[in-house]
């Protein structure tokens, strides 16, 4: 089974920092790191739940535009 999720760069360009800056996360190195770590943890948790529920091997695809 394959699970496709938005890659870290796609996610960082689509999420904005909190008010008052409202800049995209991609403009902040530490925010990018935190977002990447959160994405990795979320994908790991999702993969574990899918394996537990379906008992099948899971392939994770990170989608990034070319």
């Amino acid at each position: 089974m394959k699970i496709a999720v938005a890659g870290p760069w796609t996610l960082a360009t689509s999420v904005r920092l909190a008010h008052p800056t409202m800049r995209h996360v991609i403009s902040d190195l530490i925010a990018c790191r935190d977002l990447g770590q959160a994405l990795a943890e979320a994908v790991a948790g999702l993969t574990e739940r899918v394996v537990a529920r379906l008992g099948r091997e899971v392939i994770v695809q990170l989608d990034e535009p070319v």
Side-chain angles (χ1 to χ4, degrees):
M1 167 172 261
K2 179 174 80 172
I3 298 173
V5 297
W9 295 116
T10 299
L11 191 57
T13 58
S14 63
V15 176
R16 291 184 181 268
L17 296 169
H19 186 73
T21 66
M22 298 302 292
R23 295 179 300 154
H24 288 281
V25 169
I26 194 93
S27 66
D28 185 318
L29 182 61
I30 294 171
C32 279
R33 181 198 64 204
D34 292 346
L35 188 66
Q37 289 173 344
L39 177 63
E41 288 180 26
V43 169
L46 175 62
T47 303
E48 288 174 9
R49 289 192 306 273
V50 169
V51 169
R53 179 170 285 184
L54 302 177
R56 299 186 66 188
E57 181 178 320
V58 175
I59 297 169
V60 175
Q61 175 181 321
L62 297 176
D63 288 336
E64 293 287 2
V66 179

